[in-house]
Amino acid sequence: MLDLFSGEAPWSEPLAEGALILRRFALVQAGDLLKEIEHIAARNPFYHRITPGGHRMSVAMTNCGDFGWSTDSRGYQYRREDQQSGHRWPAMPACFRALAVQAAGAAGFREFNPDACLINRYAPGAKLTLHQDKDEKDLRQPIVSVSLGLPAVFLFGGFEREAATQRRLLEHGDVVVWGGPSRLRFHGILPLKAGIHPQCGAFRYNLTFRRAF
Ligand code: SIN
Ligand code: FE2
């Protein structure tokens, strides 16, 4: 059994009711996760989506699972196919699912059953402005977000864009879970600082697990 309060990795850090950081929770699995990301990206390459407003996102994305998050002129939505390659999204690797379910459980969300995993790749300067994850049907299920590679500053706010935000550095192996009363909180990532990570080179990767439908 993992002891989250012993002071040794992994340990947990509260953000708000229903939201916490599980520090280094994914450290042991990180190598396997990165291998899977490489396989997924070989078949469904990362690309920069264009928002409904016509902006090219600085974060490059791909997906795995039954559904992938996508954006086009009609808006944001979950789809079975990758619009760029025409392929269905690859199945969610067993090690991805196991980690996401374990992390959700450690945060008190016992019924998590993700059907979508968005894979974000940040190069230096890439950022994600404050937003809510609200394109999912069932908002009772949490979001599980895994950080790999270069560190990044995570912003965790309130229920309006203008609300004050907490700033937390997310490092390789950290997992953030938010759900319940925090499910619709605004969050984002500040522009990535350049660096070299021993396992990920010049990038940060983020896996975001959701129940889309
Ligand atoms: C997201 O909000 O989809 C990703 C957050 C992150 O990259 O940590
Ligand atoms: Fe998000």
Side-chain angles (χ1 to χ4, degrees), residues 103-117:
F109 299 100
R110 312 259 168 235
E111 311 279 306
F112 190 42
N113 183 16
D115 59 3
C117 174

Side-chain angles (χ1 to χ4, degrees), residues 41-98:
R43 187 168 168 277
N44 296 73
F46 284 99
Y47 63 97
H48 297 269
R49 282 148 174 77
I50 308 294
T51 67
H55 298 286
R56 177 184 185 270
M57 296 183 76
S58 59
V59 177
M61 298 173 171
T62 185
N63 289 274
C64 65
D66 293 340
F67 299 97
W69 185 83
S70 68
T71 159
D72 60 22
S73 57
R74 283 171 297 167
Y76 302 106
Q77 56 201 296
Y78 284 96
R79 293 169 175 259
R80 287 189 182 276
E81 291 85 29
D82 175 359
Q83 285 158 288
Q84 180 172 262
S85 68
H87 294 145
R88 290 279 289 257
W89 295 110
M92 192 181 294
C95 64
F96 277 35
R97 175 180 297 280

Side-chain angles (χ1 to χ4, degrees), residues 109-141:
F109 299 100
R110 312 259 168 235
E111 311 279 306
F112 190 42
N113 183 16
D115 59 3
C117 174
L118 171 65
I119 309 173
N120 292 316
R121 187 185 69 192
Y122 295 75
K127 66 178 196 296
L128 211 52
T129 53
L130 281 176
H131 66 279
Q132 293 169 294
D133 289 3
K134 57 175 185 187
D135 303 315
E136 300 76 29
K137 257 220 156 81
D138 184 357
L139 295 174
R140 287 170 307 182
Q141 299 234 7

Side-chain angles (χ1 to χ4, degrees), residues 59 61 118 120 122 128-129 131 133 143 145-147 152 154 170 176 178 187-189 204-208 210:
V59 177
M61 298 173 171
L118 171 65
N120 292 316
Y122 295 75
L128 211 52
T129 53
H131 66 279
D133 289 3
I143 300 286
S145 163
V146 179
S147 292
F154 179 62
L170 296 182
V176 188
W178 64 96
H187 57 280
I189 292 285
R204 169 179 188 260
Y205 296 94
N206 168 261
L207 308 175
T208 310
R210 297 103 186 258

